[in-house]
Amino acid sequence: KALTLGCACAPHERARARAMTASSLWQPSSSGALGFSVLGRAPQPGPLVVGQGSAVQAAHLAVAAPDIIGSAACLTAGAAAAVAAAGLLLAATAGAGRRGRRSLRRGGSMASPSSPQGSASAVARAAWPQSFVQGGSAEEVLQKVQWPQEWPYTANDFTRQDESDDLYFYDQPRLCTHVDDSFIGRLKTYYGKVFPQYPDARILDICSSWISHYPEEKTWSRVSITGMNEYELKENKQADDYTVRNLNVTPVLPYEDASFDIVTCTVSMDYLNKPLEVTKEVARVLKPGGTVIFSTSNRCFPSKAVNIWLKTGDMEHVLIYGSYLHYAGGFEPPEAVDLSPPMSKMGFADPVLVITAKKKAS
C-alpha cells in the first residue's frame, strides 16, 4: 500500500513534503498512486499522517524526515508498527530528538508458570489481543470474543515512547481536526441517532478539544467536557462547561455519581495509560441505562500513544476498547459497529469504529 503523509498544515511543512515527494525515495505504488502524497487541509499546524506502508518505506520516512515527523506527527497505527518493526525511532516531542530503538516484545514479564492460574494468565497475556480476534468484522470481534479470566495487560503495554509530562506536549493548542471529514460526518450521524434516545440528556465528552463532533441539532440539555488544553476547551462551542484534567496523572472524573446520560470519547482512549481506572470512572458518573460511546480510527500521535496500541491493528483496537468496558464492570456486554466508508479499505479514508456499552440498571 502507499505510504501517505498528510495534513502537513504549515506551509513550510508542505513545501518540505513536496520536495521529498519529488525525490526518488517513494515510487508509485502498484495502483499507480504516488507512494507519498500531501493531503494538507487544516489552516494551522496540525498532525501529520502517515498511512499504512511497508517497514522499508516507514524506515525511509523516519530516517530521511526526522524534522517533519516531530511533536506534531500523527501516524496511523499500522505505520507506527511498521517503523517499530524496522527497529527505527519515530520522533518524540519537539526538541526531544531520537530516543532509541523500540522493542518488539508483545508483553512484559509473564506470570510465573508455577501454578495453573499463573500459567493460564501468562498464556493469555502473551496471546492478547491478536489471538483473541474472531470473525472478520468489528461487530463479530466483540460478539465472539472469549474474554481472559483476568485483565490481560502488563504494565509495559501502557508505556509510551515519550513519558515526559503530557502538559508539555498538549501545551500548544491544535485547532485542527485529527480525523478526516468523512469520519467526522459519519460519527455525527451516529450521534444524531443515539442522542435523541435520551431527551434533554446530560452529556460528558472526555479527552475533549475545541470540537466534539456532535450534531448541529441540539437534543440535549447540557454538555460538560474535560481535556488537556484550556484554550481548546474554551473554543468548544457545544460545551456548557469544561474542566482541565490530565487523566494520566489523576484518573478521576470531577463529577458526581450517576450524573450523565451519555459519555463520549473520540480517538483518544489510546493515549490513556490508566484506561481501566478511567473507564471505571465513566461507569461511576453514568446513570443506570446510560451509554458510553468510544470512537476510534487508525491515526495517533505515536510518541504519546500507549505501546499496545502501536503494535496492533483495527480489529485489535476494537477488542482493546471493548476490554476496557468488560473489565471495568458495571456495563452490559460491549458492542461495536464499523461505520467506515468503502474507500477506507484502500487507505483513502479514515476507518470509523465505534465501541459502545450501556451501564447496567441498578
Side-chain angles (χ1 to χ4, degrees):
K1 294 183 179 180
L3 179 71
T4 304
L5 176 68
C7 197
C9 303
H12 67 281
E13 290 174 334
R14 289 200 293 270
R16 282 205 305 272
R18 290 191 188 100
M20 292 175 65
T21 305
S23 74
S24 60
L25 277 177
W26 287 273
Q27 301 298 327
S29 67
S30 59
S31 64
L34 278 177
F36 179 83
S37 60
V38 178
L39 307 174
R41 294 181 289 107
Q44 63 282 324
L48 300 175
V49 179
V50 178
Q52 188 110 10
S54 71
V56 172
Q57 289 171 316
H60 282 165
L61 183 59
V63 172
D67 56 332
I68 291 181
I69 303 183
S71 62
C74 184
L75 297 164
T76 65
V83 174
L88 294 169
L89 172 74
L90 294 171
T93 54
R98 299 193 170 189
R99 296 181 179 274
R101 297 180 182 273
R102 291 195 56 217
S103 168
L104 293 180
R105 294 176 59 200
R106 289 183 177 261
S109 58
M110 293 174 59
S112 170
S114 58
S115 68
Q117 183 176 1
S119 179
S121 298
V123 170
R125 289 192 180 99
W128 179 266
Q130 289 86 347
S131 296
F132 286 80
V133 173
Q134 303 294 325
S137 68
E139 292 81 357
E140 290 178 325
V141 165
L142 292 185
Q143 290 170 358
K144 297 183 176 182
V145 62
Q146 298 294 316
W147 299 107
Q149 185 175 356
E150 299 178 358
W151 176 246
Y153 300 97
T154 68
N156 182 63
D157 288 330
F158 299 108
T159 59
R160 301 170 298 170
Q161 295 174 4
D162 178 11
E163 292 289 6
S164 63
D165 194 328
D166 291 337
L167 290 175
Y168 300 126
F169 185 85
Y170 294 104
D171 180 65
Q172 181 67 31
R174 295 179 175 90
L175 300 184
C176 62
T177 56
H178 301 290
V179 285
D180 65 16
D181 293 340
S182 176
F183 181 104
I184 294 171
R186 287 167 184 266
L187 185 61
K188 277 186 177 182
T189 299
Y190 180 82
Y191 284 154
K193 295 177 181 178
V194 175
F195 287 5
Q197 299 175 21
Y198 297 86
D200 298 321
R202 284 200 64 193
I203 303 176
L204 171 63
D205 190 29
I206 65 172
C207 305
S208 190
S209 180
W210 69 284
I211 185 172
S212 291
H213 309 309
Y214 292 169
E216 284 74 18
E217 183 179 352
K218 184 177 179 180
T219 60
W220 55 86
S221 63
R222 189 173 187 85
V223 171
S224 302
I225 62 175
T226 69
M228 288 289 295
N229 186 283
E230 185 170 14
Y231 183 82
E232 291 180 6
L233 299 178
K234 284 182 178 179
E235 291 298 305
N236 191 317
K237 305 306 181 185
Q238 293 180 311
D240 296 290
D241 61 82
Y242 70 86
T243 301
V244 178
R245 178 61 56 99
N246 185 350
L247 294 175
N248 283 338
V249 174
T250 308
V252 177
L253 296 173
Y255 307 103
E256 297 180 357
D257 295 357
S259 53
F260 294 97
D261 300 283
I262 301 168
V263 176
T264 62
C265 184
T266 305
V267 294
S268 294
M269 290 295 291
D270 42 308
Y271 301 112
L272 296 180
N273 59 19
K274 300 177 179 66
L276 185 62
E277 291 90 331
V278 172
T279 309
K280 287 181 178 179
E281 279 291 286
V282 169
R284 180 184 65 80
V285 302
L286 266 178
K287 298 176 182 177
T291 294
V292 56
I293 303 171
F294 294 156
S295 57
T296 186
S297 191
N298 61 0
R299 301 193 188 203
C300 69
F301 292 102
S303 63
K304 284 298 184 180
V306 294
N307 187 28
I308 190 69
W309 194 261
L310 298 181
K311 298 188 300 183
T312 48
D314 290 346
M315 293 302 100
E316 288 89 356
H317 293 165
V318 170
L319 197 55
I320 290 169
Y321 271 33
S323 74
Y324 297 163
L325 295 164
H326 172 79
Y327 291 103
F331 292 104
E332 300 291 343
E335 299 178 350
V337 57
D338 189 345
L339 304 175
S340 305
M343 294 297 284
S344 69
K345 304 301 182 183
M346 296 179 284
F348 294 108
D350 291 348
V352 187
L353 300 166
V354 173
I355 299 87
T356 184
K358 287 189 176 183
K359 183 176 179 179
K360 293 179 180 177
S362 56

